């Protein structure tokens, strides 16, 4: 079953066509990779899907059978589409526990004024949510830091928290924007295995943007390649790896860089 | 410092027994304050305590929109004015002094209506926050707040330059709340209940949504928070505090109000309370309100002579304190205290862990 589908998705910033008529399908329960050189529009694509940016006219986005093309971000989140940000965007002054509690927001069962009129119900539900979130923190290995402000975590812990906050939303689909950025290779591997476990545990469909090609090639079922806002290739890792268009646009450039470096070293 | 931390520990221990225990204890202690003040000092201090309670309500309310939700607003005193004037006018007898409007309603009716009217006004003050941020939002709210005061100042029906006089005091049966002490019980109760509710909000999904918006609006919306709705809610909630404080101010002895009670200086005073206490920190706001109310009282007649001309230096002192605070103590008293307590707890927990590890090995 197709969980997410875009048709002719476009976004321009002034004269710059950041996303150019991208049509793409993500099947349920798969891991879908999204790769492309810097500035090719990967983050913009996520921003369009999650309602952070409004797409240009003629675009169409469908998530889980609902047309979300012009829906506001909070409504899209409520449908079960969660994401992480390339720059994390944690709630720095809030505790680690509160960060994931905010993630749980779409499932809050009481109204915003309940604290004034029905304190007992609020306390009862918050206690249950807190226990659930502490379990989640335990699982991602941040339980010991539950009371610390997010800003005081280490880089790797911050990445884990960003992941935890998205998982707390109990989403159907999770968009990960460079989850491994800035981590050492060992840590990237352990992060990826955490992500795989979370996928099984919570029955997730994942779209992941990642620069470390080895990671993408080994974990993804399908890969789409963006270049200058256009989708230039799509298929299995094996297919994409050998697609001349990809080699030209992406791998080629990287190899050229390596050639230059090799030449300089010599 | 350690002493304060001990008290905080004690309060936590009490709360373990029953959630409301520290509140009831604090309330019981506060009930005795007028006797202590009038015995040790004089009745004037009870009046000061009453004004401190009003400012506590204002500061705690302002903290919801500014501290929790991160929306800059400097129009809060305008809301306070709306609450005061609305309740005054509704409760005054018709055909009163100097062409002042009057509807002759019971004070117990006029106060709730004033609160509702102020809540709506809060919604209007909050509307610019949907589009504006930071300094622009500050200017927009300042404009709204000042225009309320000016409107009162030029409208005879609302008191204009003479002010509204003989505003009735609330009464139950034949008991009239027209003395400092009796009125103290009203405003103190309102302040305590206000503080309690502010905590109830802070520690709920609503409070977390406010704080998420303060920390990162985009992340908040992606976490499913309807940012516009919650911003406006924060403005309305804080307006309810301001409206109630204003209405209680109107009926407080001597039952007189004037547009000079609602100037930019008042606004700066209020901001100073919140900043001194630590933006976003409820208890900090309360302490800030008490300290600044006393400081305000002590410095209001302070003049220096410059070229033989008397100059009231209070605005200068308050403005300067604000700048110094923002520069050197941006988290205020509350933020600093929180930090100390958090470190203490962290160390305690680490020690417990070490102990466990030692026992297990
Ligand atoms: N809000 C914006 N305003 C103007 N231009 C933007 C905006 N957001 C993105 N862009 C531009 O759109 C293009 C695509 O950017 P995007 O961040 O989506 O790339 P990316 O593929 O995520 O790159 P990276 O791998 O470096 O993260 C870039 O040229 C970028 O400068
Ligand atoms: Mg990016």
């Amino acid at each position: 079953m197709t969980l997410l589908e875009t048709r002719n998705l476009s976004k321009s910033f002034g004269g710059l066509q950041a996303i150019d008529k991208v049509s793409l399908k993500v099947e349920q329960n798969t891991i879908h990779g999204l790769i492309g050189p810097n500035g090719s529009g990967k983050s913009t694509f996520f921003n369009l899907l999650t309602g952070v940016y409004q797409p240009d006219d003629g675009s169409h986005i469908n998530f889980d059978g609902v047309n979300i093309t012009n829906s506001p971000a909070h409504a899209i989140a409520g449908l079960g589409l969660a994401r992480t940000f390339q720059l994390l965007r944690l709630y720095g002054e809030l505790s680690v526990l509160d960060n994931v509690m905010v993630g749980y927001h779409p499932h809050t069962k009481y109204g915003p004024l309940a604290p004034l009129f029905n304190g007992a119900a609020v306390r009862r539900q918050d206690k249950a949510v807190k226990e659930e979130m502490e379990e989640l923190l335990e699982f991602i290995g941040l339980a010991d830091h539950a009371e610390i402000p997010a800003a005081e975590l280490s880089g790797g812990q911050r990445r884990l928290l960003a992941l935890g906050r998205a998982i707390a939303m109990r989403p159907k689909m999770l968009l990960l924007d460079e989850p491994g950025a800035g981590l050492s290779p060992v840590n990237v591997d352990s992060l990826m295995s955490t992500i795989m476990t979370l996928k099984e545990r919570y029955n997730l469909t994942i779209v992941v943007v990642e620069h470390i090609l080895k990671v993408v090639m080994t974990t993804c079922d399908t890969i789409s390649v963006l270049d200058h806002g256009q989708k230039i290739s799509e298929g299995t890792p094996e297919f994409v790896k050998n697609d001349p268009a990809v080699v030209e646009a992406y791998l080629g450039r990287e190899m050229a860089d390596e050639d230059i470096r090799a030449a300089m070293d010599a | 410092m350690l002493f304060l931390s001990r008290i905080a520990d004690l309060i936590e221990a009490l709360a373990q027994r029953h959630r409301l225990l520290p509140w009831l204890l604090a309330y019981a202690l506060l009930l005795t304050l007028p006797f202590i003040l009038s015995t040790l000092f004089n009745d004037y201090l009870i009046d000061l305590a009453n004004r401190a309670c009003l400012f506590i309500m204002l500061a705690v309310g302002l903290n919801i929109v500014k501290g929790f939700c991160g929306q800059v607003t400097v129009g809060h005193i305008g809301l306070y004015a709306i609450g005061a004037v609305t309740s005054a006018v509704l409760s005054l007898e018709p055909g009163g002094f100097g062409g002042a409007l009057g509807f002759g309603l019971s004070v117990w009716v006029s106060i709730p209506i004033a609160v509702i009217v102020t809540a709506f006004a809060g919604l209007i003050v909050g509307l610019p926050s949907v589009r504006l941020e930071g300094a622009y939002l500050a200017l927009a709210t300042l404009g709204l707040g000042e225009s309320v005061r000016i409107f009162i100042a030029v409208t005879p029906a609302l008191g204009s330059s003479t002010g509204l006089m003989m505003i009735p005091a609330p009464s139950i049966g034949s008991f009239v709340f027209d003395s400092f002490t009796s009125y103290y019980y009203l405003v103190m109760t309102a302040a305590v209940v206000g503080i309690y509710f502010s905590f109830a909000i802070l520690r709920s999904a609503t409070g977390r949504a406010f704080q998420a918006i303060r920390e990162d609006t985009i992340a908040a919306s992606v976490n499913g928070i309807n940012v516009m709705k919650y911003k406006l809610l924060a403005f309305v909630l804080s307006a309810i505090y301001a409206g109630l404080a204003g209405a209680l101010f109107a009926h407080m002895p001597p039952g007189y109000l004037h547009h000079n009670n609602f100037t930019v200086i008042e606004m700066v005073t209020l901001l100073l309370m919140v900043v001194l206490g630590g933006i976003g920190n409820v208890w900090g706001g309360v302490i800030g309100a008490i300290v600044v109310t006393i400081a305000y009282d002590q410095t209001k007649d302070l003049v220096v002579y410059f070229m033989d001309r008397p100059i009231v230096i209070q605005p200068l002192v308050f403005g300067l304190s604000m700048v110094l605070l923002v520069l050197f103590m941006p988290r205020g008293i509350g933020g600093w205290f929180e930090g100390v307590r958090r470190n203490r707890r962290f160390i305690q927990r680490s020690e417990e862990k070490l102990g466990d590890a030692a026992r297990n090995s």
Side-chain angles (χ1 to χ4, degrees):
Chain A
M1 197 199 107
T2 305
L3 187 56
L4 176 83
E5 180 177 5
T6 70
R7 279 199 304 276
N8 290 325
L9 185 57
S10 300
K11 178 71 183 177
S12 58
F13 297 108
L16 178 84
Q17 195 68 39
I19 291 291
D20 194 2
K21 296 207 176 70
V22 172
S23 299
L24 182 150
K25 284 183 181 179
V26 179
E27 299 301 319
Q28 195 156 28
N29 268 319
T30 59
I31 297 196
H32 195 115
L34 189 62
I35 62 173
N38 287 120
S40 56
K42 306 178 296 291
S43 296
T44 304
F45 189 70
F46 277 7
N47 284 333
L48 291 169
L49 295 182
T50 51
V52 175
Y53 293 160
Q54 288 302 304
D56 292 344
D57 290 347
S59 305
H60 187 88
I61 311 171
N62 195 292
F63 175 69
D64 199 21
V66 183
N67 177 359
I68 57 162
T69 314
N70 292 304
S71 301
H74 64 88
I76 296 172
L79 292 172
L81 185 55
R83 70 172 290 182
T84 63
F85 292 91
Q86 192 167 356
L87 297 175
L88 303 186
R89 291 183 171 272
L90 295 174
Y91 307 124
E93 295 220 345
L94 299 197
S95 72
V96 168
L97 180 63
D98 277 346
N99 267 269
V100 286
M101 297 271 282
V102 173
Y104 191 83
H105 183 90
H107 304 285
T108 309
K109 286 184 196 68
Y110 53 81
L113 289 179
L116 303 183
F117 301 112
N118 196 355
V122 169
R123 282 190 300 277
R124 202 175 328 112
Q125 210 215 329
D126 273 14
K127 192 159 168 274
V129 174
K130 190 171 167 233
E131 274 163 20
E132 202 177 323
M133 293 301 117
E134 276 167 345
E135 215 171 284
L136 174 63
L137 289 181
E138 192 78 50
F139 187 77
I140 58 174
L142 289 178
D144 282 349
H145 300 78
E147 279 188 51
I148 292 176
E152 288 175 19
L153 293 178
S154 74
Q157 290 168 336
R158 285 159 53 78
R159 303 224 145 245
L160 282 172
L161 178 56
L163 187 64
R165 187 178 68 181
I167 295 284
M169 291 169 72
R170 296 276 174 274
K172 299 180 181 115
M173 177 179 267
L174 182 57
L175 312 177
L176 301 171
D177 198 348
E178 304 202 19
L183 295 184
S184 69
V186 183
N187 285 328
V188 172
D189 285 346
S190 94
L191 183 75
M192 286 320 287
S193 76
T194 306
I195 290 172
M196 295 305 283
T197 328
L198 287 169
K199 174 181 181 292
E200 294 312 315
R201 189 175 157 130
Y202 296 110
N203 209 9
L204 294 168
T205 307
I206 293 178
V207 183
V208 58
V209 168
E210 188 51 81
H211 267 299
I212 307 164
L213 289 180
K214 198 191 100 208
V215 171
V216 186
M217 294 296 168
T218 51
T219 52
C220 293
D221 302 299
T222 315
I223 295 172
S224 303
V225 188
L226 288 182
D227 189 28
H228 294 297
Q230 292 177 332
K231 189 174 90 176
I232 57 162
S233 179
E234 188 170 73
T236 60
E238 201 55 33
F239 174 81
V240 165
K241 213 184 318 189
N242 299 315
D243 186 345
V246 179
V247 178
E248 152 81 28
Y250 188 8
L251 300 176
R253 235 175 268 168
E254 203 164 80
M255 278 172 198
D257 282 348
E258 268 166 18
D259 287 346
I260 292 166
R261 235 175 280 132
M264 278 169 60
D265 285 347
Chain B
M1 187 59 233
L2 194 68
F3 173 69
L4 277 179
S5 209
R6 282 275 151 73
I7 291 183
D9 286 342
L10 185 72
I11 292 171
E12 264 174 30
L14 280 175
Q16 294 282 316
R17 299 217 143 181
H18 191 278
R19 198 170 46 79
L20 291 178
L21 213 55
W23 292 94
L24 293 174
L25 190 69
Y27 188 70
L29 286 175
L30 283 169
L31 287 177
T32 64
L33 189 68
F35 302 107
I36 297 170
L37 289 180
S38 61
T39 316
L40 293 182
F41 307 97
N42 53 47
D43 272 9
Y44 174 73
L45 283 191
I46 302 172
D47 184 34
L48 194 62
N50 290 350
R51 276 181 278 140
C53 286
L54 295 179
F55 268 108
I56 285 173
M57 271 186 264
L58 280 170
V60 168
L62 183 58
N63 231 338
I64 292 175
V65 70
K66 189 172 164 53
F68 300 175
C69 200
Q71 302 304 298
V72 186
T73 168
V74 274
H76 214 63
I77 286 292
L79 296 172
Y80 179 62
I82 290 175
V85 170
T86 307
S87 194
V89 162
L90 288 176
S91 63
L92 279 169
E93 288 304 323
F97 183 83
L101 213 54
F103 292 90
L105 293 179
S106 150
V107 171
W108 301 115
V109 178
S110 74
I111 291 179
I113 296 178
V115 171
I116 293 168
V117 169
T118 315
F120 272 104
L123 191 67
I124 293 165
V125 176
L127 282 177
S129 77
V130 175
R131 301 222 151 263
L132 303 179
E133 273 179 7
Y136 299 100
L137 182 56
L139 274 179
T141 55
L142 178 67
L144 283 169
E146 259 298 279
S147 56
V148 169
R149 188 187 67 80
I150 292 166
F151 184 70
I152 296 168
V154 298
T155 311
L158 301 179
S160 64
S161 55
T162 47
L164 293 171
M165 291 170 217
M166 316 229 297
I167 303 166
S171 57
I172 298 174
S174 60
F175 183 81
V176 188
F177 292 87
D178 59 355
S179 68
F180 290 151
T181 302
S182 59
Y183 212 78
Y184 167 82
Y185 291 110
L186 278 186
V187 286
M188 186 272 284
T189 305
V192 170
V193 172
I195 297 168
Y196 176 82
F197 274 134
S198 142
F199 274 111
I201 294 164
L202 182 65
R203 289 176 184 161
S204 69
T206 312
R208 288 190 290 273
F210 288 159
Q211 296 177 85
I213 291 169
R214 176 192 73 200
E215 294 293 301
D216 192 318
T217 312
I218 289 176
S221 68
V222 165
N223 276 152
I225 293 162
N226 185 340
V227 172
M228 190 167 83
K229 179 174 119 182
Y230 276 90
K231 274 187 186 176
L232 292 178
L233 181 65
F235 273 96
V236 169
L237 285 172
S238 81
I240 289 174
Y241 280 80
L244 182 61
L248 286 172
F249 169 65
H251 303 285
M252 187 162 86
Y256 171 72
L257 64 83
H258 189 271
H259 66 83
N260 274 350
N261 297 122
F262 314 118
T263 62
V264 176
I265 310 271
E266 257 58 38
M267 189 63 223
V268 171
T269 308
L270 177 58
L271 281 176
L272 188 60
M273 294 170 178
V274 175
V275 174
L276 174 68
I279 295 168
N281 189 294
V282 181
W283 286 124
V286 173
I287 292 167
I290 296 169
V291 171
V292 176
T293 303
I294 295 169
Y296 182 94
D297 186 65
Q298 294 295 310
T299 57
K300 69 174 187 282
D301 300 322
L302 217 60
V303 282
V304 290
Y305 286 88
F306 180 70
M307 308 212 312
D308 288 341
R309 288 242 219 93
I311 297 170
V312 181
I313 60 162
Q314 191 190 43
L316 183 71
V317 172
F318 275 30
L320 212 62
S321 321
M322 178 84 104
V323 172
L324 291 177
L325 268 173
V326 171
L327 282 179
F328 297 110
M329 207 177 163
R331 285 154 171 278
I333 300 172
W336 167 70
F337 187 64
E338 290 255 294
V340 172
R341 275 187 66 73
R342 205 170 46 228
N343 288 346
R344 244 169 59 100
R345 242 175 303 172
F346 190 75
I347 292 169
Q348 257 171 18
R349 225 173 314 115
S350 311
E351 280 172 355
E352 278 165 24
K353 275 235 169 98
L354 280 178
D356 286 349
R359 242 168 283 131
N360 291 340
S361 65

